[in-house]
Amino acid sequence: MEIDQGVVDALQHAKHVLVFTGAGVSAESGIPTFRDALSGLWARFDPAALATREAFRRDPSFVWGWYEWRRMQVYKAQPNLAHRAIAELSANVAKLTLITQNVDDLHERAGSIDVIHLHGSLSTPRCFACARFAVEPLPPPDEPIEGRHLEPPRCGHCGGKLRPGVVWFGESLPTQALAQSFAAAKDCDVLLSVGTSGVVEPAAQIPDIAWRAGATVVHINPDTKGVRGAREFWLEGRASEVLPQLLAKGFRRQRIEFIR
Ligand code: OAD
């Protein structure tokens, strides 16, 4: 795939790059996305029965078992070339902010630091009753069995049931993470939106905020979609292919200068 020179130029001159990722960045690590037609989680499971407070109140062991199944998938997965390219990019630009909607830890395991998790994390459960984070880290998950019921562990503070540390439908996003994300969107010169359908609010506003503030916005996604024209690009392809290509192309000149 030919990468537009406008993208390369913008990236080379950027003082602040914002990378905004969704489930597509982890797809090639074997973690299912949410909305892909056949394999997406929300094509196979009803979000109302799994990703709401009402669902947990109704059947906590079903919900906890399902999230443990997902935690095991992540535990067994490895970061892919897209996660690694993003970590490498941060070493090649003046400033990089990484915001993810993903609840896995594959960015961190690829070497990224200070990742902003807008939708929480599978590995940091909270108490359903008192809302405090768990005292003890979760042990490694058991072998995944789809549909298995598992009794949630108890809160070390109040004895209530622990719930997954992710944001469910109808819940607010973590205040600080959202504020940091909006501020970074207003400040960045280039925003790379990688592997997200961009339909879940308020996260979906982030590329728009950046574009309206004058940033170049680049979407990396195998899906096709129109762009507004000025300062917006669509690089059609898988994240693990496009990002390493972009990195090689965008930073070749600096590397050669460095070697000389
Ligand atoms: P979606 O499943 O909505 O979108 C995944 C996107 O990744 C789609 O646009 C795919 O075309 C794209 N994609 C698939 N494979 C890819 C690849 N190899 N490289 C690049 N892109 C690829 O996932 P999200 O946008 O992350 O919310 O969904 C947003 C939120 O909806 C999630 O964070 C989750 C869900 O409900 C919470 O958990 C709160």
Side-chain angles (χ1 to χ4, degrees):
M1 192 204 59
E2 197 47 44
I3 291 181
D4 203 303
Q5 192 57 36
V7 176
V8 176
D9 290 345
L11 204 53
Q12 282 178 339
H13 293 109
K15 293 190 185 72
H16 182 184
V17 176
L18 194 164
V19 182
F20 173 60
T21 66
V25 81
S26 296
E28 291 164 75
S29 295
I31 312 290
T33 64
F34 293 93
R35 293 178 184 78
D36 279 282
L38 294 174
S39 57
L41 288 173
W42 298 153
R44 299 179 52 220
F45 302 97
D46 175 10
L50 289 158
T52 61
R53 289 185 65 81
E54 294 68 37
F56 188 83
R57 200 174 284 118
R58 203 166 40 238
D59 197 346
S61 64
F62 177 60
V63 173
W64 184 262
W66 189 74
Y67 279 93
E68 280 296 277
W69 168 67
R70 285 184 57 199
R71 192 165 71 92
M72 185 67 199
Q73 289 181 323
V74 170
Y75 188 74
K76 286 168 72 167
Q78 294 300 326
N80 65 54
L81 290 176
H83 298 106
R84 295 196 196 288
I86 292 166
E88 197 184 323
L89 183 63
S90 72
N92 280 280
V93 294
K95 179 177 178 186
L96 184 139
T97 302
L98 175 53
I99 303 170
T100 188
Q101 298 165 88
N102 298 344
V103 293
D104 62 47
D105 59 355
L106 294 176
H107 281 305
E108 285 88 347
R109 281 158 57 194
S112 288
I113 52 169
D114 298 332
V115 185
I116 299 175
H117 281 270
L118 265 185
H119 291 164
S121 160
L122 285 172
S123 58
T124 53
R126 288 188 287 125
C127 177
F128 190 68
C130 75
R132 279 181 282 187
F133 283 102
V135 180
E136 298 286 337
L138 285 174
D142 283 340
E143 212 30 56
I145 302 173
E146 200 180 304
R148 179 180 56 170
H149 284 62
L150 268 181
E151 193 52 34
R154 293 289 172 162
C155 171
H157 302 285
C158 76
K161 290 186 168 117
L162 290 185
R163 55 159 282 180
V166 303
V167 177
W168 282 332
F169 289 101
E171 292 187 314
S172 302
L173 273 60
T175 315
Q176 199 191 349
L178 190 60
Q180 283 176 330
S181 300
F182 283 172
K186 285 184 192 137
D187 182 65
C188 70
D189 314 295
V190 175
L191 181 143
L192 303 179
S193 171
V194 187
T196 176
S197 56
V199 295
V200 174
E201 293 288 346
Q205 294 171 31
I206 290 169
D208 273 353
I209 292 172
W211 188 81
R212 276 191 264 110
T216 298
V217 172
V218 184
H219 303 272
I220 298 170
N221 199 310
D223 212 2
T224 45
K225 213 172 157 187
V227 294
R228 279 168 283 213
R231 290 183 287 104
E232 192 169 18
F233 298 87
W234 193 280
L235 302 182
E236 194 182 318
R238 292 188 293 185
S240 69
E241 289 168 2
V242 177
L243 277 167
Q245 266 186 50
L246 186 59
L247 199 67
K249 201 166 172 174
F251 295 94
R252 194 177 294 142
R253 205 184 303 154
Q254 282 91 326
R255 280 191 189 146
I256 291 166
E257 279 167 9
F258 180 71
I259 292 162
R260 276 181 190 154

